[in-house]
Amino acid sequence: MDTILRTGVAKLEEMMPTLSSLPVIEKFQMFFFLQFPIYLLLIPIMIAISFATFSIIEEKQMRTLEPLLATPVSTWELLLGKALAGAIPALIITWVCAGLFLVGVVWMGLAHLLSLVLTPSWFISLFLLVPLVTVLSFMLGVIGSSRANDPKSAQNIAFVIVLPVLAIIGVQLTGLILLRPLMFIVMAVGIAILDILTLRVAVYLFQRESIVVRWR
């Protein structure tokens, strides 16, 4: 484990030469601090798994689904609205957690490291990647909720988004790959495309008439 960390710190120094002047302990602290934008992705994902998967199933249980489907609202507006209704609060919670993290860094007496922590990657991840992943998580939760007959099955469908994020965290911690700003941008573009495709799939799978008949 020590060797892995040293490898990660060495690669971090190559990417950020200004770290060379820091004490060894602060280099290791920076290595973990710079992983935090990836950890933040788990917050909206877990919220989505907990709440988005109930979005349509709960409508069924409360007998409010049929009147909702009878409205002139189009399917994509309905599904996107349900996803955003949960995604926006989850995104705000994630940003609050990011703020608390920065406050924690200052509280630990490491305020002089903030200029190194607040890298372009930090802002790209926080204000571009996190919102896109949040929407994707809630869209998958809505799909699971529309296709499953119980919340547990819906959560299993939405859980698929956790695995790639855990893989990224694992790769980052091993120090094999350290994500640069360009990598974050590429990931954001890819997830934006995936968001659009997921919405199209959700609309295709959400068959209004059959759902009403099946759940009566």
Side-chain angles (χ1 to χ4, degrees):
M1 183 66 178
D2 183 62
T3 303
I4 292 175
L5 288 177
R6 289 182 183 277
T7 301
V9 171
K11 289 193 174 184
L12 185 61
E13 283 188 80
E14 292 178 9
M15 190 170 68
M16 301 176 63
T18 52
L19 296 182
S20 302
S21 59
L22 295 178
V24 175
I25 184 64
E26 291 188 355
K27 290 179 183 178
F28 280 96
Q29 288 171 331
M30 281 298 302
F31 177 74
F32 288 107
F33 289 166
L34 292 176
Q35 314 298 320
F36 197 74
I38 301 299
Y39 297 145
L40 287 175
L41 295 177
L42 291 174
I43 298 175
I45 291 173
M46 299 313 296
I47 294 175
I49 291 175
S50 301
F51 295 101
T53 49
F54 287 86
S55 59
I56 294 177
I57 291 177
E58 189 175 27
E59 295 272 9
K60 166 203 168 184
Q61 295 172 341
M62 296 178 64
R63 300 293 181 182
T64 58
L65 182 65
E66 291 85 349
L68 183 62
L69 295 180
T71 64
V73 176
S74 64
T75 301
W76 76 267
E77 290 175 330
L78 172 64
L79 297 179
L80 184 59
K82 281 191 168 294
L84 291 179
I88 292 174
L91 182 58
I92 293 173
I93 291 172
T94 304
W95 284 342
V96 169
C97 290
L100 292 176
F101 166 76
L102 297 177
V103 171
V105 171
V106 175
W107 179 76
M108 290 187 293
L110 300 173
H112 60 287
L113 296 180
L114 280 182
S115 61
L116 299 174
V117 172
L118 297 174
T119 62
S121 296
W122 170 276
F123 291 105
I124 293 171
S125 176
L126 196 61
F127 297 110
L128 187 59
L129 190 60
V130 169
L132 291 170
V133 169
T134 302
V135 172
L136 178 60
S137 302
F138 275 85
M139 282 304 308
L140 289 173
V142 169
I143 290 175
S145 186
S146 68
R147 300 300 296 176
N149 292 321
D150 62 272
K152 183 65 177 176
S153 300
Q155 288 171 347
N156 291 337
I157 295 174
F159 188 76
V160 70
I161 189 63
V162 176
L163 302 180
V165 175
L166 292 178
I168 293 172
I169 291 174
V171 170
Q172 284 270 98
L173 287 177
T174 59
L176 296 175
I177 298 176
L178 292 177
L179 297 178
R180 299 173 183 270
L182 181 59
M183 295 180 183
F184 277 103
I185 293 174
V186 170
M187 288 172 58
V189 171
I191 294 174
I193 295 172
L194 195 56
D195 281 344
I196 296 172
L197 293 177
T198 302
L199 179 58
R200 292 178 66 89
V201 170
V203 172
Y204 174 77
L205 294 176
F206 191 84
Q207 301 173 355
R208 299 168 78 121
E209 295 79 9
S210 63
I211 288 176
V212 171
V213 171
R214 187 171 68 249
W215 284 356
R216 281 187 182 277

